[in-house]
Amino acid sequence: MAGVFTSCGNSNSGSNESADSAKVAQAGVAQADWGEFGGKKVFLYTLTNKNGDQVKISNYGGTITSWVTADNKGAKSNIVLGFDELAGYLAHPPYFGATVGRYGNRIGDAAFTLEGKKYTLAANNGKNSLHGGLKGFDKAVWDVAPLDNGAPSLTLSYLSKDGEEGFPGNLKVTVNFTLSDDNALTIDYSAETDKATPVNLTNHSYFNLTGDVKNNILGHSLKIDADRYTPVDTTAIPTGELKAVAGTPFDFTSLHTVGERIDAVPGGYDHNWVLNHKMGSLDLVATLSEATSGRKLEVYTTEPGVQFYSGNFLDGTIKTSDGTPIQKHAAMCLETQHFPDSPNKPDFPSTVLKPGDKYHTTTKYKVVLDK
């Protein structure tokens, strides 16, 4: 498979472009051919801001393939897991950087009942449905809106047809990615439907703020503004309880390293936190920091929850371009979302979108430096 964490500047070409040359890159968005899938052309887009920071996104899966940004010494490296080539994604790795839907996260027993009708989904995660099923949005080739070459922004759209992966309704989805000059990547999700349907869209980027896959994320420090989380059963489906984090390894209301209490969590972290903020308001809900690089990732969202996943199922079978295995805990996810299995949990915030209503959520990931 193609590599991850290739160094400095143009991470997807595998070049060693210097930080100085990256700084003079033209701000805006550029398009490059990246192959073909299902008879459709696949492109790779590079968003560059005035600092020379770059985010690369493909219309295959609405996938963030790299995010090259400076550390506190000015050295640039890629802080997300990704592949240099389309082939890496066609081998179906674990959702690296993908836009996931129609329903991000899990739906219990791969079924739900809506307006008196039962809908059966693909059971692609044990007995449950995960991230939209066998061919979720991460495996679709999205349409691309005309580019504004002067702005580091990209808008993708996809029509998920009635019955796709078992879900009702023709769902029109639009996702906009914008890279600002203060090193924030803002993702706006919008959708409309012609039948009532559950919708839960998120991005599945795996972060390692050291910029080097050889380092794990157990020493990263995490804070989540959440007094409660949703406990899960043995198949990772929420029990329905909103449990206090106080006195548990799930308490990240103050900074803790990821590895400090992970051994007390069977299997590692892969849970939904119930955010304290008002749903619909774009607020700072989590921070992730790494001392050596000085990088801090701030997470802002309008969503009611965030899934913290500590890369438990990475096992070394996926390798970088230089042959380095991507081991367990090599990176971690902070997936903003509505709660898992909400279609089967009436007490959770509803994920049902009805005809005439508009789905819209916003999430922003911002890199700042502690120098």
Side-chain angles (χ1 to χ4, degrees):
M1 289 186 180
V4 293
F5 291 121
T6 46
S7 61
C8 294
N10 187 358
S11 67
N12 281 77
S13 70
S15 72
N16 289 319
E17 181 182 354
S18 70
D20 287 341
S21 63
K23 287 178 183 176
V24 300
Q26 170 115 18
V29 57
Q31 173 183 297
D33 291 339
W34 216 46
E36 187 174 294
F37 178 74
K40 296 183 178 181
K41 287 187 176 181
V42 175
F43 300 100
L44 187 67
Y45 298 87
T46 302
L47 310 185
T48 305
N49 68 11
K50 291 181 179 179
N51 306 317
D53 283 24
Q54 292 186 329
V55 174
K56 292 180 182 287
I57 304 165
S58 177
N59 65 321
Y60 176 79
T63 302
I64 298 170
T65 69
S66 75
W67 185 345
V68 174
T69 187
D71 65 11
N72 57 5
K73 298 178 181 64
K76 292 198 172 188
S77 55
N78 184 7
I79 61 168
V80 298
L81 292 180
F83 294 91
D84 296 343
E85 299 171 353
L86 177 60
Y89 297 95
L90 299 184
H92 304 320
Y95 306 98
F96 288 167
T99 298
V100 291
R102 176 176 305 194
Y103 198 94
N105 218 307
R106 296 171 176 87
I107 295 179
D109 294 323
F112 63 91
T113 299
L114 180 60
E115 296 182 341
K117 182 177 179 180
K118 183 176 180 179
Y119 293 90
T120 301
L121 313 173
N124 63 329
N125 185 243
K127 66 176 185 176
N128 305 316
S129 178
L130 176 67
H131 293 331
L134 298 174
K135 189 189 175 193
F137 293 178
D138 61 295
K139 299 176 182 68
V141 179
W142 293 60
D143 295 325
V144 184
L147 303 180
D148 177 358
N149 291 328
S153 182
L154 177 69
T155 300
L156 303 177
S157 61
Y158 178 66
L159 173 61
S160 177
K161 294 183 179 179
D162 185 20
E164 183 176 281
E165 290 296 316
F167 289 94
N170 293 295
L171 185 74
K172 297 179 181 179
V173 182
T174 300
V175 182
N176 176 266
F177 302 86
T178 302
L179 179 63
S180 64
D181 290 333
D182 62 351
N183 299 334
L185 180 65
T186 300
I187 310 175
D188 286 293
Y189 305 88
S190 302
E192 296 181 1
T193 184
D194 59 3
K195 289 184 183 177
T197 187
V199 183
N200 191 26
L201 305 178
T202 191
N203 181 268
H204 209 297
S205 286
Y206 287 67
F207 293 96
N208 182 320
L209 299 184
T210 73
D212 187 345
V213 72
K214 294 176 183 177
N215 302 320
N216 66 43
I217 48 80
L218 297 180
H220 283 45
S221 295
L222 178 64
K223 182 178 180 180
I224 304 175
D225 184 17
D227 294 330
R228 297 173 297 171
Y229 76 107
T230 51
V232 295
D233 64 18
T234 56
T235 70
I237 295 297
T239 62
E241 180 185 6
L242 305 183
K243 187 175 180 179
V245 300
T248 78
F250 298 93
D251 188 352
F252 286 93
T253 53
S254 58
L255 280 173
H256 291 272
T257 63
V258 172
E260 181 180 339
R261 301 162 299 174
I262 196 169
D263 290 342
V265 182
Y269 294 106
D270 191 10
H271 299 74
N272 171 70
W273 270 254
V274 180
L275 298 172
N276 289 333
H277 81 135
K278 180 181 178 182
M279 184 173 63
S281 176
L282 183 63
D283 298 313
L284 177 64
V285 299
T287 59
L288 180 69
S289 56
E290 197 281 315
T292 302
S293 68
R295 293 186 179 106
K296 180 165 67 173
L297 183 74
E298 298 178 341
V299 182
Y300 301 76
T301 192
T302 60
E303 291 277 39
V306 63
Q307 186 88 4
F308 163 36
Y309 169 54
S310 53
N312 314 315
F313 298 111
L314 300 172
D315 60 5
T317 58
I318 301 172
K319 296 180 174 62
T320 68
S321 56
D322 65 3
T324 302
I326 303 173
Q327 301 287 8
K328 185 177 183 179
H329 306 315
M332 57 173 281
C333 304
L334 291 168
E335 306 158 65
T336 57
Q337 61 179 12
H338 272 58
F339 305 165
D341 201 34
S342 291
N344 295 311
K345 299 289 191 295
D347 291 338
F348 285 0
S350 176
T351 57
V352 175
L353 178 67
K354 296 182 178 180
D357 293 339
K358 293 185 178 182
Y359 174 101
H360 183 78
T361 70
T362 300
T363 292
K364 179 171 69 173
Y365 296 99
K366 182 178 180 180
V367 178
V368 297
L369 292 178
D370 290 329
K371 295 184 178 181

